[in-house]
Amino acid sequence: MHSNIDTLFSNMWDNYVSITPSAHKIHMLLAGEENNNDIVNDHVAFRTFALDKTSLDKLAAHFLALGYEEKGDYDFEAKKLTAKHFEHADDTKPKVFISELRVHELSDDAQAIIHDLVAQMNDNVVSADNFLYSGRHWDVTKAQYDTLLNESEYAAWLAAWGFRANHFTVSVNHLARTDELTDVNTLLKEAGFVLNTSGGEIKGGPDVFLAQSSTMADRADVDFGSETIAIPSCFYEFAQRYNMPNGKRYQGFVAASADKIFESTNIK
């Protein structure tokens, strides 16, 4: 396991930006050339399969070992996902959101494909230091990808990309240029970035103490054995948090909003 949170996040970021070049451009846009370090990361999200070898808990173990604590549980019925979020006692450390696909709720065909992919994994790879940015541990064909895509975009994405940050998230509250999500969205659109409009450009708002928006995922090449094809990779999210009636800033997640954020990796 990683001994250092900052090193882990730095390695995950490098891996993420390698297939999400727009994130680097947006980082520069929001930070300005002078203040390269003023982007605070609100949270990082991961996807996995709810199977013994790859369960949410196996991914979470990497963060629990670094002092993170489990905080919230979420259920996405239509997408067949279970999720949890984790926070560190040091609130300058990013939150972590991990979801897992309830494989047993998919069709027999889709289940067979996923079991076949995960069977190709070495048993101890999940506990390796670099697991959270290690990518794919199996061969997958375009036909398998298409079968999964027909049923679950989440499953297809995970089959193609494996284990890596699905997105990083800019904390709008901590930006130097503006602390309003509407301003951030305007800046992004003016710069030519395409936003996820599922459920509205902004999901949530002051009434649920969290407003979120995101880009639509970049595209990057994936090796499907006999062919290499560009498919949606990762996206960048933006979160503005509001104070609750007790005066404390809300730190959780809103399932109805997150449900639409997942669609940032949909084929445009």
Side-chain angles (χ1 to χ4, degrees):
M1 296 282 181
H2 264 277
S3 56
N4 184 304
I5 296 176
D6 298 331
T7 307
L8 173 61
F9 277 93
S10 173
N11 289 337
M12 292 191 301
W13 170 262
D14 290 344
N15 172 263
Y16 158 81
V17 176
S18 70
I19 58 168
T20 319
S22 68
H24 186 67
K25 294 175 189 155
I26 291 168
H27 199 278
M28 299 300 284
L29 174 74
L30 296 178
E33 302 296 328
E34 315 309 313
N35 308 308
N36 213 1
N37 299 316
D38 74 0
I39 302 284
V40 173
N41 180 20
D42 181 85
H43 70 273
V44 174
F46 293 87
R47 297 180 176 188
T48 193
F49 295 122
L51 298 176
D52 287 348
K53 207 187 282 188
T54 57
S55 69
L56 189 162
D57 292 342
K58 294 272 171 66
L59 274 67
H62 288 265
F63 295 103
L64 296 176
L66 292 170
Y68 276 81
E69 294 175 8
E70 190 178 312
K71 291 291 183 180
D73 291 282
Y74 310 88
D75 173 38
F76 301 93
E77 195 175 345
K79 289 185 172 66
K80 303 176 172 65
L81 307 173
T82 302
K84 291 180 179 180
H85 98 264
F86 303 82
E87 295 174 27
H88 197 277
D90 173 357
D91 65 7
T92 65
K93 302 302 182 193
K95 286 170 281 294
V96 174
F97 187 90
I98 307 175
S99 55
E100 63 180 2
L101 177 66
R102 297 191 292 261
V103 178
H104 65 278
E105 293 183 18
L106 299 180
S107 70
D108 289 349
D109 283 354
Q111 287 191 50
I113 290 170
I114 292 167
H115 280 280
D116 171 59
L117 301 181
V118 173
Q120 297 175 48
M121 286 177 65
N122 184 318
D123 281 350
N124 58 16
V125 71
V126 183
S127 56
D129 271 4
N130 69 343
F131 178 69
L132 295 166
Y133 49 94
S134 63
R136 204 170 82 195
H137 295 267
W138 48 70
D139 295 322
V140 60
T141 66
K142 181 64 166 49
Q144 289 174 318
Y145 172 80
D146 289 338
T147 299
L148 293 177
L149 187 60
N150 196 34
E151 202 169 319
S152 164
E153 186 283 323
Y154 181 108
W157 186 93
L158 185 52
W161 292 113
F163 302 96
R164 59 177 73 234
N166 171 260
H167 63 270
F168 276 71
T169 310
V170 172
S171 170
V172 174
N173 301 77
H174 292 91
L175 287 174
R177 291 184 67 165
T178 175
D179 58 4
E180 288 294 330
L181 184 57
T182 47
D183 294 343
V184 171
N185 286 351
T186 300
L187 276 171
L188 293 168
K189 287 185 290 187
E190 285 173 352
F193 295 101
V194 179
L195 297 182
N196 169 352
T197 56
S198 176
E201 210 166 80
I202 291 181
K203 296 97 171 86
D207 54 325
V208 290
F209 311 112
L210 174 63
Q212 295 164 277
S213 68
S214 59
T215 59
M216 288 302 286
D218 284 1
R219 295 177 85 84
D221 285 345
V222 168
D223 175 9
F224 289 109
S226 59
E227 51 192 330
T228 297
I229 296 170
I231 64 165
S233 52
C234 304
F235 60 93
Y236 213 178
E237 190 188 318
F238 313 92
Q240 179 177 355
R241 295 181 178 276
Y242 296 87
N243 288 349
M244 298 180 288
N246 65 7
K248 291 188 173 153
R249 189 175 286 168
Y250 181 70
Q251 296 300 325
F253 292 84
V254 178
S257 303
D259 187 75
K260 303 301 183 191
I261 295 282
F262 279 117
E263 296 173 21
S264 302
T265 52
N266 283 5
I267 304 268
K268 304 193 207 27

